[in-house]
Amino acid sequence: MGSFWGCGTALLYGSLRRRVPCGDDGRMKEESPVPSPVILGIDDLRPLPWTTRIARSSSEGVKLLQEHRDSLIDELWLDHDLGGDDSILPVVTLLEEAAFNGRPFRIGTVYVHSANPIGAQTVVRSLTRWNYQVRRATV
């Protein structure tokens, strides 16, 4: 069965780049599918269509991260202000406590995309201190 993607072709998923595996005969290996990236978002308003799952509050965000506790999260997108008195800080605390206890979440990159520059900088500084890869982003 032929495929549009040839051996060695780089496939892009979000910020991930993966190569299609090739067998000894130069044909694609069917038994090694490229895993779908796990891209989580926590934001009260933005649609974040590239995410695989989204939480709309800090409590939903904590639950979402706990569901992915023992798996790789390729990208985590965080908004600081989550409506009313809610903020991303309970999620940040969960990530910090995990790192403090020697079991940080396995996250490729955390993107902070808040319209609140002071809140966003607080999140970036807090998570960077615990060796998470963090970037400030605009959406």
Side-chain angles (χ1 to χ4, degrees):
M1 174 184 241
S3 173
F4 177 77
W5 302 105
C7 276
T9 303
L11 300 179
L12 297 175
Y13 295 98
S15 64
L16 303 175
R17 183 181 302 258
R18 311 234 183 193
R19 291 221 170 262
V20 175
C22 300
D24 293 333
D25 61 358
R27 301 176 92 182
M28 285 180 38
K29 290 183 179 179
E30 303 254 348
E31 67 275 2
S32 319
V34 176
S36 296
V38 175
I39 303 173
L40 306 179
I42 305 172
D43 191 308
D44 61 323
L45 298 173
R46 293 175 191 86
L48 306 179
W50 59 89
T51 59
T52 52
R53 302 254 324 264
I54 191 162
R56 296 296 184 186
S57 67
S58 62
S59 61
E60 286 181 18
V62 167
K63 288 177 189 171
L64 184 61
L65 282 176
Q66 288 170 336
E67 289 173 20
H68 290 83
R69 181 64 185 104
D70 295 317
S71 61
L72 173 66
I73 300 167
D74 296 292
E75 297 178 8
L76 177 62
W77 290 77
L78 304 177
D79 182 18
H80 182 274
D81 300 320
L82 297 175
D85 292 333
D86 196 13
S87 76
I88 201 66
L89 295 183
V91 172
V92 171
T93 300
L94 176 70
L95 295 169
E96 289 176 311
E97 287 175 352
F100 176 79
N101 291 322
R103 270 191 82 225
F105 281 79
R106 294 182 337 161
I107 303 171
T109 305
V110 178
Y111 293 93
V112 181
H113 63 272
S114 180
N116 176 341
I118 294 171
Q121 188 55 39
T122 299
V123 173
V124 169
R125 192 173 41 248
S126 297
L127 295 179
T128 300
R129 180 180 321 132
W130 291 103
N131 296 318
Y132 289 102
Q133 286 289 100
V134 186
R135 291 190 182 155
R136 184 80 165 88
T138 55
V139 179

